[in-house]
Amino acid sequence: QQQVKQSPQSLIVQKGGISIINCAYENTAFDYFPWYQQFPGKGPALLIAIRPDVSEKKEGRFTISFNKSAKQFSLHIMDSQPGDSATYFCAASPISNTGNQFYFGTGTSLTVIP
Amino acid sequence: EAEVAQSPRYKITEKSQAVAFWCDPISGHATLYWYRQILGQGPELLVQFQDESVVDDSQLPKDRFSAERLKGVDSTLKIQPAELGDSAMYLCASSLRDHKDTQYFGPGTRLTVL
């Protein structure tokens, strides 16, 4: 059973446009929501993360919007650049003392056209 | 910048053979994770260590997979015998004991089973 559902599977955006990737979850125990960026042949790298006590977090051109009641969160990439072309994974985790079980979405392949 | 090291980067083997992957986490990171990432999907946790102890191996196929972190530093993941369905990227990640929400991933080992 997929704990985190991610869409779309692939996305093509013009340079300068806005890229939007959506994720949804069911488990109300999740309280940490990171986004990872993965380039071909590389491991995922943490991009930005949010906790449910805020509805939005912005870091440079990257913004997470979080809707706790709808159990949805999304990544917005403003002024998308060709260098942003990568696969993006959302994840969710319940913070625990022993460690975080990260549940990843299925990924979105983003292509930014020059 | 410190990184998680993994080797080999690529491994091709025939089914029924044994394979082993090695991971060296970032120095000082007490928590180590092994993930499996099937092509086109997000990473899935196989096993998590806290120092030398296994914290979670509920998703590890124990009939053929084993993992160890004898001295609480580097770790080895073994598959014996390998099956066709084991073809995937095997990712290692690590985190600080008190900051488990931030996992740093290595570049992965791409396994192909023929």
Side-chain angles (χ1 to χ4, degrees):
Chain A
Q1 182 183 6
Q2 191 71 31
Q3 295 264 6
V4 179
K5 296 182 180 179
Q6 182 172 348
S7 63
Q9 185 175 2
S10 62
L11 183 61
I12 300 174
V13 174
Q14 292 277 357
K15 178 183 176 181
I18 302 174
S19 304
I20 302 175
I21 304 170
N22 301 299
C23 285
Y25 64 98
E26 287 297 326
N27 190 340
T28 55
F30 291 153
D31 57 3
Y32 178 69
F33 304 90
W35 283 89
Y36 278 80
Q37 179 187 56
Q38 185 175 27
F39 292 104
K42 302 281 189 179
L46 178 64
L47 189 62
I48 187 172
I50 196 168
R51 297 186 189 278
D53 53 341
V54 296
S55 60
E56 185 175 282
K57 183 173 182 180
K58 183 176 181 179
E59 290 184 1
R61 296 184 294 109
F62 301 92
T63 299
I64 299 179
S65 296
F66 185 81
N67 186 329
K68 187 174 182 178
S69 60
K71 289 184 281 189
Q72 296 175 348
F73 57 110
S74 60
L75 176 68
H76 296 235
I77 305 175
M78 312 299 288
D79 186 26
S80 299
Q81 299 297 312
D84 296 331
S85 296
T87 299
Y88 293 81
F89 292 95
C90 62
S93 172
I95 303 290
S96 71
N97 290 331
T98 54
N100 292 5
Q101 169 97 28
F102 277 25
Y103 294 91
F104 285 86
T106 51
T108 296
S109 176
L110 172 65
T111 302
V112 181
I113 300 172
Chain B
E1 182 175 305
E3 296 181 341
V4 176
Q6 289 188 248
S7 67
R9 292 294 310 278
Y10 304 92
K11 179 70 177 178
I12 299 174
T13 190
E14 294 185 345
K15 65 178 181 179
S16 80
Q17 296 298 304
V19 293
F21 314 129
W22 178 79
C23 171
D24 191 12
I26 294 173
S27 179
H29 282 199
T31 311
L32 184 147
Y33 313 80
W34 282 102
Y35 287 87
R36 176 171 59 188
Q37 184 178 21
I38 296 171
L39 190 64
Q41 298 184 21
E44 293 181 311
L45 181 69
L46 291 174
V47 61
Q48 177 186 331
F49 289 91
Q50 181 77 14
D51 300 307
E52 67 277 7
S53 300
V54 173
V55 172
D56 184 355
D57 63 356
S58 57
Q59 301 302 312
L60 188 71
K62 299 181 187 63
D63 57 335
R64 298 185 300 108
F65 286 64
S66 64
E68 61 182 17
R69 193 185 184 197
L70 294 176
K71 296 182 179 180
V73 181
D74 59 339
S75 175
T76 302
L77 178 69
K78 298 179 181 177
I79 308 175
Q80 182 173 17
E83 296 181 353
L84 296 177
D86 296 332
S87 294
M89 175 79 84
Y90 290 82
L91 294 162
C92 179
S94 69
S95 66
L96 288 167
R97 185 188 311 275
D98 298 327
H99 293 279
K100 296 184 180 72
D101 53 353
T102 303
Q103 296 184 18
Y104 297 86
F105 283 82
T109 296
R110 170 72 67 188
L111 173 66
T112 301
V113 182
L114 303 176

